[in-house]
Amino acid sequence: MDHQIDNPKLAFAYLRPACVLLTREPTVGNVESLSTQLRHVNDGTLQQLQDYVLFPLRFVLKIPGPKQDGLVQAVAEAMAYILENTCVHCWQTLRDLLSELCLCLCSPTDPGKPAPASEELKAAILRCLDALLHAAYGDVVFKLFEPTMLPGLGAAISLLLALGEQEKSRTVQAAALKCLQVLTLQCDCSLDHVSVGQKERHVLGSTMASFLPGITIAVSRVITGDMRHGHTVTVRAVKVWFKTVGLVMADDQLQKAGCEEKPPTELGRVGELVVQRTPDWMRNTSGRLALLLKNIISCTSAHQHWRVRLEMVNLSDHLLTNCKSSLGECVGLLLEALVGAVNDEETIVRERCEAALMDVAERSQSSDGNNQAFTDVLSENLHSLATSLPRLMRTSDDQRKMFVLNVFLGYLKILGPRVTSVLNSATHLQRLSKALMQVLELDVTDVRIVEERSSILTEETGVGPHRPHAQRKHFLYFTDERIFSTVKEICRMLGYYGNMYLLVDHLMDLFKESAVYRKQAAMVLNEVITGAAGVVVTRCQERQAKPSQEDLKSTVESIIEEYTSPSHWHLSTRISEDSESWEPEQLSQSSLLSISNDVEGKGNALQSVHAVRKNSTIHDLNSNIWQICIQLEGIGCFAHALGMDFRLILMTSLYPVLEKAGDETLLISQAALNAMWDISQACGYASLKELINENSDYLLNNVSLNLQRLGVHPHAPRVLTVMFSHSDSSLLPLVGDIVQDVLLALDMSYDETSPLFCTVLHSLMKALARWFPSGIRITNENNKAKKVWCEQDQLNVHQFLLDFHKQMELAEGIGVEEDVGTENPEIPPLTDLDEDMEGPDVKAELPYHITIAKEVMERCVHLLSDPRLRLRLKVLDVLELCVCVLSEKENELLPMAHRCWPALLLRLTADDPLAVLRAFKVLCTLGETCRDFLRKRVSKEVLPKLTASLSKQAPVSARAGPVYSHTLAYKLQLAVLQGLGSLCLRLDLGDSDLDAVTEACLPYLSCRQPPKLQEACLSVFRHLIEADPDAFWFTLNELYCPCSYSPPHPNLQPVQLSGMGVQRNEYIDNVLKLLEIFGLPQDTTSRNPKLR
Amino acid sequence: MARPAPAPLYTLRGAGSALNALQFRCCGGDTPLLFSGSAQGSVHVWNLITRRAGKVLDGHSGASVIWLNTLLSRDSLISQGRDMRVCQWDLAEGRSDVTDSVWTGSVGFCRCSLLETGPGRWLLAHPGEAMEEVKVIELPSRQPVCSLVPQRKPGMVMCINLWQPDSGPGPLLLAGYEDGSLAVWDVSLRSVLSRVAAHPEPVMCLAFDPTGQRGVSGSSEKSLSSWTLDGQHRLQVSEAPGSHSPRQPWDLTTVYPGGR
C-alpha cells in the first residue's frame, strides 16, 4: 500500500469490478473487497469517484427487507472510510446519507426507537455519521438547519439521544453524544471544522431551540443517572449540555430576538415546530434550565473523577461567559459551582477554576450595565449562605463543610472591591459576622488547658532560641485544620476588600457586647487586620482603597488598648488563689472574671464578682485562658501587619505581652512567647533577647510605674522575671534604678508586699548568678590539686617516714592538729585574692552586680526572720544566690556573711525542718567560699546540734519501715548527711569536730539503715577520708579489719587493731566499700604508709 | 489626706547621671525634642515620640552642664557647662557640631540668661571671671556689651535674669547674690537701679514675670521670697508667699502672669 493510485481513470477501472459485483451480490465479502481496494486509491482521486463508489454501498442499504448486521456494519465501515477521506459537496448526498444512516439505526417497526442491533453495528454507523457530518461542506451543512429540515433533524437528534441515554455500551453512548455535538457544529475534536459565522450561528441557535427541551432533559438524565457509566460518558454529556444551552441561549443572539423575522408561512405543519425565542420563552426556558442545572451541579461538583469536575467548571465558565443575562436565574447556581471548585484537590481543576473566576470578576467589573444585578446576585447568595452556614457547620461532614466554606470564600473573591458595598448593608454585615461567630465557637472543655503549668519561673536559662509551636485550637463544630485555615482566609479576605473601620467597629462591638462572642470576635479581628494590611492574602483583584499605614496603626493601637484593658487582660485563669494568698487583696479584685460588661452598676460590681468567682468553673477558666491566648496571637498578627511601624507601639504593648509570658498557665505563656517571636520578626529583631534589650527602656518604664502601685498592678515582678530570663548582663545598667526602686519599696513596707518583691529579688539574683558565673569552681580545683599532691606523696614511703619523724620531733605531744596535708593548700586561695586587689589604699569601685547582691543580701538578713515560712524559704534561696554571686569578692562576702550569720543560725537550729533543709544548703554554699570564717562558728554553734540530731535519729531510722522515707525527718537526715561531708572538708574542721561527725555518722553505716541514708553516709566518709586518710583508715579498721598485718621485721611489734577478728556485723559491707579507697588489703603489709 | 501624686506619663531613662538642665524644643511639624544636660557634661537629645535619646552631644569635656537654651531657632542649641564655657551647637540636618564657644571664666554655678534683641541677634548674660561680676555680650558677634560689677561686695553672683521691659530704653538684669540680696541692673547704663536684701542666705534661684512685674526667689535657707518691681524699677519685698520648701530651691523656671 506504499503507492496509491492517483489517476482517476486507472482508479475507476480498478474499482469498477468490485462495485459492479457488490451491486449484484451484496455480501460481506464483496463489501470488504471493495473497501480493501478503496484503500489503494488516494484521497483526491477518491473525491472524484465519491458518488460512484458510494452508490453500491447505499444500494446495499436500500435493499428492502431485513439485512444482516454484518453486512450493514461492513457497509457502514466502508462508507465511513470514504467520508473520512473526502468531502461532501452536494446537499442531496448529505441529506440522503443522513436519513439513510438514521434509518439503519432505528428499529424498522418504530422509527423513534433505536434498533436492537449489535453494539458494533451501532458504533460503526455512528462513526459513519460522524464522518459524514465532518465531511459536509460549509455551504451544504447549513441547509440542515433550515426550518424545512426540522423533522428530519429532529428524528436524528432523538435517535442519538435515545442511544446516548439507553444504550448499554459506553463507547456507543459516548459516540452518540459526540455525534450530537457534531450535529450542532460544536465539535471539539482535532479535525477541521466548518467555521460558523455570526449569522449562521444565529440560524443554528434558532433551529436548535426547537430541540432544546429534549436535548437538555435527556442529557441531564444521562449526567445525573447512573454514576457507574464512567467519566467519559458523563464528561461528554456535560459538554453536549452546555454547548447546546450555550448556543441556544447565547446572550448576543437573544438580545436581537426582537428583530427576528416572522417564520415563513409556507412551511405548513412544519412551521409549528419552529420556536420563536421571545423574552417570554426565554424566561420559561431559563427557569426550567435552572432546575436541570441544579441537579447537574449537585451531581458533578462532588464527583469522584476530576475530569467531570473540570468539565463542570467549564460548564459554569461557558454559560457565565455566553448566557449570563439570558440565564439570569442560573447565575447564582453557576457561581456557586465555580467558587466551590476553587480549592479543588486537583491542580488542573483549581487553575482552570481560578482563571474562570478571574474572568467572571473582571467581566462583572468592566460591564457596568449588568454590574448591579450581578452584585446583587452575589450578595444575595452570600447572604443566604451566611444564613445557612451555622446549620451546615453543625450538621454536615467535614468534606461538605470545606466545600461550603470554599464557596463562601469564592464569593468574596469574586465580589472583590464590592465587598465594601455589600458590607454597608447592615443585615449583611450582621449575618456575616454572626455566622463567623458561630462557626468559630471553641471547645473549651479540655481540663488540660487549665492544668498545664509553665515552668518559666523556675527555669534556669529561660527558653531556647526556638519558638514553641502554637497550641492547636479545638472547635466545637469542626476538627479539620484546613477548615480553620479557610475560615481565617475568609476573614482576611473581608479585611482585604472590606472597609476596615466598619469591620473593626462592628467586631469591637461584638467583642465588648458579651463574653459569648468575645473569643471569636477577637479571632476574626486579628485576621481582618492581617487582611487589611495585605499580609498573607492570595491576591485576586486589586482593591480600590488600601487603608493608609497611619490608619492601620491607629486602628491597631485602639484594638490593642482594648485587648490589654484590665477587664480583658487580667482574667482569672486559676481555680483558687490560695497558693498566693499573700498577694494583696486588690489583685484578686483586678483579676476578675468578666462575664459581661453590664454588671448591675459599679457599686455591686465587687459583690457580684465575688459571687462569680466562687462559681467559676473550669469551663470559664479555660475560656479565659483561650481568650488571652487569642488576644496575644492578635498582637503578633498586628505586628506582622504593621511591620517596622510596630516599633512605636512596643512602648505600650510589649509590657503586657511579657506579663503574659511569665504567666503560670502553659498555654498563655507559650502564646505570649509566640507573640514575642512574631513581634521580633516583624520589627526586625534577630532574637527575643534583642527585642527585650532594645526595648528595655519601654519595659522598665512600665515596670517602675507599676512597682509603685503593686496593689493595682501586681504583675511587674513577673515582667522583670521574664526580662531577666531572656536577656543578658547588658541589661544590668538600665535595671539599676529599678532595683533601687524595688529595694526602697521593700524597705517601706516589709509586711504586705515583701513576698512579691522576694520573687523579683529571686529572679534578679538568679539572673545575676547566671550572667556572672562565680568562682566557686576554683576552690574545687584547689581540692583536686590537693588530692593529687597527697597521692604523689603516698608513693614515697621513705620521704614520708622522714617527714613524719621530723614532725614528731617538732610537735612533741601536739600530735595530729598540725598535719601537713591540711594546712598548706588552705593558704593559696587567700593570697590569690589578695593579689587580685589593686592595693589596700585604692578602694576600687565595685562592679554593679556585686553592689546589687550586697544590697539584696542586706534585705535578706531582715527577711530571714519573717514569721511566714514560705517567705523564709524563698529568702533562703535568694540568700544562697547572693552568696554565689558575692563569692568572687571575698572581701565583700565576709562582712555580709557575718551579718546574716545569727539569722541563718536560727534557721539551722530552731526552725521548721523545711527551713533547716534550705538553710543547710545555704550553709554548704557558704562553706564553699568562706571556710575560715565559718570554721569556728560551725564547730561551735552548728555541728553539736546537727550531730546530736543525727545521733538521736539514727536508731529511729534503723528501725523504720518503708514509709519512713516520706517523712520530713528522713529528708532532713538525708540532707544533712549529703552536705555534711563536703562541708567538713571545705571548712577544714578540726579533729575534735571530725570525731564528733564520725561518731554521729557511724550508726548510719549500718546495713539496717535505709539505703539512701547509707549512701549519703558513705559520701560523708569519703570526704572525711580525703581530709584525713590516716585517722579514718584507723577508725574504720577499728570497726572491722578484713586482714591481719604481720610486721616486716621481727623486731617490730605485731599490729593489733580492735576490728581484727570481729565476726560479721552490720557495718561490714559499708566499711569494706570504704576501705577499698585505700587500696587492696593484701598489699597493705608492704606498702601501707599509714602506720603510726 | 492629699491624694497621691499622679503617675508620671513616662520616665526617660539612660542619661547615666544626674541632670542639671532641661530644655524643650517643640516647633511646627518637627519631632518634639527635649534636651537634657547631665552632670557628666553630656547633652542628651530625647525624641519625645519614640521617647529615646537620639543623639548625645559631648562638648563640655566631662564638666557638668548647667544651662541649656534653644536660641529660639530650630536647629541651634546653646549650652553652658562648668568647664567655664558656653557652647553653641549646630543641629541642622543631623549635625552635632560646636559652632562657637565663649569662655566665661566663671567657676560658679550661676546660669546664663538669654534675651533676643532682634531677628538673629541675642544678648547673653553670663557670670564673669570675678566672683560678683556679670558680663553681657552680644551674639552671634560675641561683642562684649558691658561688665556689671557691684560696688559693694555682695559675694558671688548666684543667678541672673535678663529681660526687656515694655517701657524704658535698655534691657534690665536681675541678679541674686551670695549675701542674699537682689539687684536690678540697667544694662545700657551699667548701673544698679535698685537693691533689696531678700534673704539672709545666698539666693539660689529666681524667676521673674515681666508683665506682672513680680518675681520669686529661693534661697539656701529653704525659703521663698516674693517681690515686685515698681514703676521706678524699685524692688520691694512683699509678704512671703509662706511655705518653706522642704528642699533647697534650685530651679524656679517660670512665673506665670497672674502670679501662680
Side-chain angles (χ1 to χ4, degrees), chain B residues 55-90:
Chain B
K55 262 181 297 190
V56 182
L57 314 176
D58 235 332
H60 289 283
S61 48
S64 171
V65 175
I66 56 173
W67 179 75
L68 287 169
N69 209 327
T70 47
L71 273 181
L72 300 177
S73 85
R74 284 176 47 174
D75 293 314
S76 59
L77 177 76
I78 189 163
S79 69
Q80 179 195 10
R82 293 196 65 194
D83 60 344
M84 301 187 274
R85 287 198 312 150
V86 172
C87 295
Q88 201 176 325
W89 300 81
D90 178 14

mmCIF file of all heavy atoms in Angstrom, chain B residues 55-90:
data_model
loop_
_atom_site.group_PDB
_atom_site.id
_atom_site.type_symbol
_atom_site.label_atom_id
_atom_site.label_comp_id
_atom_site.label_asym_id
_atom_site.label_seq_id
_atom_site.Cartn_x
_atom_site.Cartn_y
_atom_site.Cartn_z
ATOM 1 N N LYS B 55 20.568 61.588 70.028
ATOM 2 C CA LYS B 55 21.984 61.915 69.959
ATOM 3 C C LYS B 55 22.486 62.280 71.342
ATOM 4 O O LYS B 55 21.732 62.673 72.210
ATOM 5 C CB LYS B 55 22.181 63.117 69.031
ATOM 6 C CG LYS B 55 22.599 62.729 67.638
ATOM 7 C CD LYS B 55 22.802 63.951 66.785
ATOM 8 C CE LYS B 55 21.552 64.757 66.604
ATOM 9 N NZ LYS B 55 21.654 65.807 65.604
ATOM 10 N N VAL B 56 23.760 62.157 71.522
ATOM 11 C CA VAL B 56 24.378 62.642 72.748
ATOM 12 C C VAL B 56 25.455 63.629 72.341
ATOM 13 O O VAL B 56 26.338 63.305 71.549
ATOM 14 C CB VAL B 56 24.998 61.488 73.558
ATOM 15 C CG1 VAL B 56 25.591 62.015 74.839
ATOM 16 C CG2 VAL B 56 23.960 60.431 73.851
ATOM 17 N N LEU B 57 25.325 64.861 72.829
ATOM 18 C CA LEU B 57 26.307 65.887 72.470
ATOM 19 C C LEU B 57 27.312 65.974 73.609
ATOM 20 O O LEU B 57 26.939 66.114 74.763
ATOM 21 C CB LEU B 57 25.615 67.238 72.292
ATOM 22 C CG LEU B 57 24.333 67.238 71.463
ATOM 23 C CD1 LEU B 57 23.716 68.616 71.471
ATOM 24 C CD2 LEU B 57 24.643 66.811 70.039
ATOM 25 N N ASP B 58 28.557 65.915 73.249
ATOM 26 C CA ASP B 58 29.592 65.948 74.275
ATOM 27 C C ASP B 58 30.515 67.101 73.971
ATOM 28 O O ASP B 58 31.357 67.017 73.093
ATOM 29 C CB ASP B 58 30.358 64.617 74.262
ATOM 30 C CG ASP B 58 30.332 63.992 75.627
ATOM 31 O OD1 ASP B 58 30.243 64.752 76.603
ATOM 32 O OD2 ASP B 58 30.384 62.750 75.710
ATOM 33 N N GLY B 59 30.360 68.212 74.671
ATOM 34 C CA GLY B 59 31.184 69.371 74.339
ATOM 35 C C GLY B 59 31.775 70.044 75.544
ATOM 36 O O GLY B 59 32.485 71.035 75.418
ATOM 37 N N HIS B 60 31.496 69.550 76.705
ATOM 38 C CA HIS B 60 31.990 70.256 77.896
ATOM 39 C C HIS B 60 33.017 69.430 78.645
ATOM 40 O O HIS B 60 33.162 69.565 79.854
ATOM 41 C CB HIS B 60 30.813 70.644 78.788
ATOM 42 C CG HIS B 60 29.978 71.734 78.192
ATOM 43 N ND1 HIS B 60 30.356 73.047 78.197
ATOM 44 C CD2 HIS B 60 28.813 71.693 77.519
ATOM 45 C CE1 HIS B 60 29.435 73.777 77.569
ATOM 46 N NE2 HIS B 60 28.488 72.968 77.142
ATOM 47 N N SER B 61 33.674 68.582 77.933
ATOM 48 C CA SER B 61 34.764 67.753 78.465
ATOM 49 C C SER B 61 34.474 67.228 79.867
ATOM 50 O O SER B 61 35.273 67.374 80.778
ATOM 51 C CB SER B 61 36.097 68.506 78.437
ATOM 52 O OG SER B 61 35.948 69.792 78.966
ATOM 53 N N GLY B 62 33.304 66.687 80.013
ATOM 54 C CA GLY B 62 33.006 65.995 81.261
ATOM 55 C C GLY B 62 32.521 66.881 82.383
ATOM 56 O O GLY B 62 32.099 66.379 83.414
ATOM 57 N N ALA B 63 32.582 68.222 82.188
ATOM 58 C CA ALA B 63 32.121 69.079 83.275
ATOM 59 C C ALA B 63 30.605 69.224 83.194
ATOM 60 O O ALA B 63 30.027 69.223 82.109
ATOM 61 C CB ALA B 63 32.782 70.436 83.178
ATOM 62 N N SER B 64 30.003 69.375 84.323
ATOM 63 C CA SER B 64 28.536 69.402 84.416
ATOM 64 C C SER B 64 27.915 70.491 83.532
ATOM 65 O O SER B 64 28.400 71.616 83.473
ATOM 66 C CB SER B 64 28.182 69.636 85.876
ATOM 67 O OG SER B 64 26.824 69.881 86.007
ATOM 68 N N VAL B 65 26.874 70.130 82.829
ATOM 69 C CA VAL B 65 26.151 71.108 82.019
ATOM 70 C C VAL B 65 25.048 71.700 82.885
ATOM 71 O O VAL B 65 24.228 70.976 83.442
ATOM 72 C CB VAL B 65 25.521 70.427 80.783
ATOM 73 C CG1 VAL B 65 24.668 71.412 80.013
ATOM 74 C CG2 VAL B 65 26.592 69.838 79.906
ATOM 75 N N ILE B 66 25.049 73.031 83.054
ATOM 76 C CA ILE B 66 24.084 73.598 83.996
ATOM 77 C C ILE B 66 22.987 74.411 83.329
ATOM 78 O O ILE B 66 22.009 74.775 83.962
ATOM 79 C CB ILE B 66 24.787 74.467 85.068
ATOM 80 C CG1 ILE B 66 25.607 75.567 84.407
ATOM 81 C CG2 ILE B 66 25.638 73.613 85.976
ATOM 82 C CD1 ILE B 66 26.171 76.537 85.418
ATOM 83 N N TRP B 67 23.131 74.688 82.054
ATOM 84 C CA TRP B 67 22.089 75.516 81.433
ATOM 85 C C TRP B 67 22.007 75.202 79.953
ATOM 86 O O TRP B 67 23.014 74.943 79.295
ATOM 87 C CB TRP B 67 22.432 76.999 81.650
ATOM 88 C CG TRP B 67 21.469 77.964 81.044
ATOM 89 C CD1 TRP B 67 20.238 78.283 81.502
ATOM 90 C CD2 TRP B 67 21.686 78.752 79.860
ATOM 91 N NE1 TRP B 67 19.660 79.227 80.685
ATOM 92 C CE2 TRP B 67 20.525 79.525 79.676
ATOM 93 C CE3 TRP B 67 22.740 78.863 78.969
ATOM 94 C CZ2 TRP B 67 20.394 80.406 78.606
ATOM 95 C CZ3 TRP B 67 22.607 79.750 77.902
ATOM 96 C CH2 TRP B 67 21.432 80.508 77.730
ATOM 97 N N LEU B 68 20.775 75.191 79.456
ATOM 98 C CA LEU B 68 20.554 74.889 78.039
ATOM 99 C C LEU B 68 19.506 75.849 77.500
ATOM 100 O O LEU B 68 18.574 76.220 78.207
ATOM 101 C CB LEU B 68 19.998 73.472 77.870
ATOM 102 C CG LEU B 68 20.922 72.302 78.091
ATOM 103 C CD1 LEU B 68 20.099 71.033 78.133
ATOM 104 C CD2 LEU B 68 21.943 72.220 76.966
ATOM 105 N N ASN B 69 19.661 76.260 76.262
ATOM 106 C CA ASN B 69 18.600 77.028 75.630
ATOM 107 C C ASN B 69 18.640 76.763 74.135
ATOM 108 O O ASN B 69 19.656 76.322 73.601
ATOM 109 C CB ASN B 69 18.769 78.517 75.913
ATOM 110 C CG ASN B 69 17.425 79.207 75.925
ATOM 111 O OD1 ASN B 69 16.518 78.825 75.189
ATOM 112 N ND2 ASN B 69 17.278 80.206 76.777
ATOM 113 N N THR B 70 17.501 77.008 73.479
ATOM 114 C CA THR B 70 17.463 76.639 72.062
ATOM 115 C C THR B 70 17.683 77.816 71.132
ATOM 116 O O THR B 70 17.555 77.665 69.923
ATOM 117 C CB THR B 70 16.126 75.996 71.704
ATOM 118 O OG1 THR B 70 15.093 76.788 72.255
ATOM 119 C CG2 THR B 70 16.053 74.594 72.219
ATOM 120 N N LEU B 71 17.964 78.989 71.658
ATOM 121 C CA LEU B 71 18.233 80.154 70.812
ATOM 122 C C LEU B 71 17.036 80.473 69.909
ATOM 123 O O LEU B 71 17.186 81.131 68.901
ATOM 124 C CB LEU B 71 19.460 79.920 69.927
ATOM 125 C CG LEU B 71 20.805 80.273 70.546
ATOM 126 C CD1 LEU B 71 21.908 80.018 69.543
ATOM 127 C CD2 LEU B 71 20.833 81.713 70.989
ATOM 128 N N LEU B 72 15.905 79.945 70.255
ATOM 129 C CA LEU B 72 14.661 80.220 69.547
ATOM 130 C C LEU B 72 14.673 79.866 68.069
ATOM 131 O O LEU B 72 13.729 80.103 67.357
ATOM 132 C CB LEU B 72 14.264 81.700 69.699
ATOM 133 C CG LEU B 72 14.036 82.122 71.146
ATOM 134 C CD1 LEU B 72 13.730 83.603 71.205
ATOM 135 C CD2 LEU B 72 12.906 81.339 71.760
ATOM 136 N N SER B 73 15.729 79.350 67.606
ATOM 137 C CA SER B 73 15.696 78.894 66.212
ATOM 138 C C SER B 73 15.690 77.383 66.227
ATOM 139 O O SER B 73 15.972 76.772 67.248
ATOM 140 C CB SER B 73 16.889 79.426 65.433
ATOM 141 O OG SER B 73 17.979 78.566 65.625
ATOM 142 N N ARG B 74 15.374 76.817 65.112
ATOM 143 C CA ARG B 74 15.087 75.397 65.135
ATOM 144 C C ARG B 74 16.302 74.525 65.386
ATOM 145 O O ARG B 74 16.210 73.517 66.060
ATOM 146 C CB ARG B 74 14.442 74.975 63.810
ATOM 147 C CG ARG B 74 13.007 75.382 63.734
ATOM 148 C CD ARG B 74 12.444 75.034 62.406
ATOM 149 N NE ARG B 74 12.795 73.653 62.041
ATOM 150 C CZ ARG B 74 12.328 73.061 60.974
ATOM 151 N NH1 ARG B 74 11.514 73.700 60.178
ATOM 152 N NH2 ARG B 74 12.681 71.828 60.684
ATOM 153 N N ASP B 75 17.384 74.925 64.816
ATOM 154 C CA ASP B 75 18.467 73.944 64.784
ATOM 155 C C ASP B 75 19.703 74.329 65.574
ATOM 156 O O ASP B 75 20.769 73.792 65.341
ATOM 157 C CB ASP B 75 18.855 73.658 63.325
ATOM 158 C CG ASP B 75 17.727 72.956 62.620
ATOM 159 O OD1 ASP B 75 17.179 72.014 63.214
ATOM 160 O OD2 ASP B 75 17.373 73.372 61.508
ATOM 161 N N SER B 76 19.570 75.317 66.450
ATOM 162 C CA SER B 76 20.770 75.562 67.233
ATOM 163 C C SER B 76 20.462 75.530 68.715
ATOM 164 O O SER B 76 19.348 75.815 69.153
ATOM 165 C CB SER B 76 21.421 76.878 66.829
ATOM 166 O OG SER B 76 20.514 77.913 67.028
ATOM 167 N N LEU B 77 21.458 75.178 69.444
ATOM 168 C CA LEU B 77 21.313 74.955 70.877
ATOM 169 C C LEU B 77 22.464 75.671 71.538
ATOM 170 O O LEU B 77 23.569 75.742 70.996
ATOM 171 C CB LEU B 77 21.398 73.453 71.153
ATOM 172 C CG LEU B 77 21.351 73.012 72.613
ATOM 173 C CD1 LEU B 77 19.932 73.102 73.119
ATOM 174 C CD2 LEU B 77 21.861 71.592 72.742
ATOM 175 N N ILE B 78 22.208 76.214 72.702
ATOM 176 C CA ILE B 78 23.300 76.838 73.440
ATOM 177 C C ILE B 78 23.378 76.168 74.800
ATOM 178 O O ILE B 78 22.353 75.887 75.419
ATOM 179 C CB ILE B 78 23.082 78.368 73.511
ATOM 180 C CG1 ILE B 78 24.301 79.067 74.070
ATOM 181 C CG2 ILE B 78 21.855 78.744 74.307
ATOM 182 C CD1 ILE B 78 24.278 80.549 73.760
ATOM 183 N N SER B 79 24.569 75.843 75.210
ATOM 184 C CA SER B 79 24.713 75.128 76.469
ATOM 185 C C SER B 79 25.841 75.738 77.287
ATOM 186 O O SER B 79 26.832 76.233 76.745
ATOM 187 C CB SER B 79 25.027 73.655 76.192
ATOM 188 O OG SER B 79 26.308 73.530 75.644
ATOM 189 N N GLN B 80 25.644 75.721 78.596
ATOM 190 C CA GLN B 80 26.665 76.263 79.486
ATOM 191 C C GLN B 80 27.156 75.149 80.385
ATOM 192 O O GLN B 80 26.367 74.425 80.987
ATOM 193 C CB GLN B 80 26.052 77.385 80.342
ATOM 194 C CG GLN B 80 27.030 77.978 81.312
ATOM 195 C CD GLN B 80 26.324 78.816 82.383
ATOM 196 O OE1 GLN B 80 25.102 78.788 82.487
ATOM 197 N NE2 GLN B 80 27.097 79.558 83.159
ATOM 198 N N GLY B 81 28.458 75.026 80.458
ATOM 199 C CA GLY B 81 28.989 73.967 81.302
ATOM 200 C C GLY B 81 29.892 74.541 82.364
ATOM 201 O O GLY B 81 30.286 75.715 82.305
ATOM 202 N N ARG B 82 30.221 73.702 83.323
ATOM 203 C CA ARG B 82 31.090 74.215 84.394
ATOM 204 C C ARG B 82 32.561 74.103 84.017
ATOM 205 O O ARG B 82 33.433 74.291 84.852
ATOM 206 C CB ARG B 82 30.784 73.471 85.691
ATOM 207 C CG ARG B 82 29.382 73.828 86.174
ATOM 208 C CD ARG B 82 29.146 73.452 87.583
ATOM 209 N NE ARG B 82 29.988 74.209 88.510
ATOM 210 C CZ ARG B 82 30.159 73.878 89.782
ATOM 211 N NH1 ARG B 82 29.564 72.815 90.251
ATOM 212 N NH2 ARG B 82 30.925 74.600 90.573
ATOM 213 N N ASP B 83 32.789 73.836 82.762
ATOM 214 C CA ASP B 83 34.161 73.946 82.281
ATOM 215 C C ASP B 83 34.454 75.380 81.859
ATOM 216 O O ASP B 83 35.397 75.649 81.122
ATOM 217 C CB ASP B 83 34.382 72.977 81.110
ATOM 218 C CG ASP B 83 33.463 73.280 79.950
ATOM 219 O OD1 ASP B 83 32.477 74.021 80.156
ATOM 220 O OD2 ASP B 83 33.711 72.786 78.834
ATOM 221 N N MET B 84 33.582 76.314 82.324
ATOM 222 C CA MET B 84 33.736 77.748 82.080
ATOM 223 C C MET B 84 33.513 78.112 80.626
ATOM 224 O O MET B 84 34.062 79.062 80.120
ATOM 225 C CB MET B 84 35.124 78.242 82.543
ATOM 226 C CG MET B 84 35.354 77.987 84.010
ATOM 227 S SD MET B 84 36.832 78.721 84.609
ATOM 228 C CE MET B 84 38.041 77.489 84.233
ATOM 229 N N ARG B 85 32.726 77.338 79.931
ATOM 230 C CA ARG B 85 32.483 77.670 78.535
ATOM 231 C C ARG B 85 30.981 77.645 78.246
ATOM 232 O O ARG B 85 30.226 76.912 78.870
ATOM 233 C CB ARG B 85 33.174 76.651 77.622
ATOM 234 C CG ARG B 85 34.673 76.817 77.583
ATOM 235 C CD ARG B 85 35.255 76.129 76.395
ATOM 236 N NE ARG B 85 34.747 74.768 76.251
ATOM 237 C CZ ARG B 85 34.620 74.182 75.081
ATOM 238 N NH1 ARG B 85 34.937 74.822 73.972
ATOM 239 N NH2 ARG B 85 34.191 72.954 75.010
ATOM 240 N N VAL B 86 30.614 78.477 77.297
ATOM 241 C CA VAL B 86 29.247 78.408 76.768
ATOM 242 C C VAL B 86 29.381 78.009 75.310
ATOM 243 O O VAL B 86 30.102 78.655 74.552
ATOM 244 C CB VAL B 86 28.532 79.767 76.884
ATOM 245 C CG1 VAL B 86 27.199 79.726 76.163
ATOM 246 C CG2 VAL B 86 28.328 80.138 78.337
ATOM 247 N N CYS B 87 28.743 76.920 74.936
ATOM 248 C CA CYS B 87 28.906 76.404 73.570
ATOM 249 C C CYS B 87 27.630 76.603 72.777
ATOM 250 O O CYS B 87 26.521 76.510 73.313
ATOM 251 C CB CYS B 87 29.217 74.908 73.585
ATOM 252 S SG CYS B 87 30.775 74.531 74.326
ATOM 253 N N GLN B 88 27.833 76.875 71.501
ATOM 254 C CA GLN B 88 26.688 76.973 70.610
ATOM 255 C C GLN B 88 26.769 75.805 69.636
ATOM 256 O O GLN B 88 27.818 75.517 69.077
ATOM 257 C CB GLN B 88 26.750 78.305 69.876
ATOM 258 C CG GLN B 88 25.410 78.731 69.342
ATOM 259 C CD GLN B 88 25.490 80.095 68.709
ATOM 260 O OE1 GLN B 88 26.237 80.949 69.167
ATOM 261 N NE2 GLN B 88 24.732 80.296 67.659
ATOM 262 N N TRP B 89 25.629 75.117 69.447
ATOM 263 C CA TRP B 89 25.633 73.892 68.654
ATOM 264 C C TRP B 89 24.825 74.083 67.386
ATOM 265 O O TRP B 89 23.806 74.764 67.400
ATOM 266 C CB TRP B 89 24.984 72.745 69.431
ATOM 267 C CG TRP B 89 25.656 72.412 70.714
ATOM 268 C CD1 TRP B 89 25.504 73.047 71.900
ATOM 269 C CD2 TRP B 89 26.581 71.362 70.941
ATOM 270 N NE1 TRP B 89 26.270 72.464 72.868
ATOM 271 C CE2 TRP B 89 26.946 71.420 72.299
ATOM 272 C CE3 TRP B 89 27.152 70.378 70.128
ATOM 273 C CZ2 TRP B 89 27.845 70.526 72.858
ATOM 274 C CZ3 TRP B 89 28.026 69.482 70.692
ATOM 275 C CH2 TRP B 89 28.388 69.566 72.040
ATOM 276 N N ASP B 90 25.301 73.444 66.360
ATOM 277 C CA ASP B 90 24.518 73.409 65.122
ATOM 278 C C ASP B 90 23.932 72.005 64.997
ATOM 279 O O ASP B 90 24.669 71.029 64.898
ATOM 280 C CB ASP B 90 25.441 73.707 63.931
ATOM 281 C CG ASP B 90 24.677 73.626 62.622
ATOM 282 O OD1 ASP B 90 23.427 73.612 62.681
ATOM 283 O OD2 ASP B 90 25.333 73.576 61.572
#
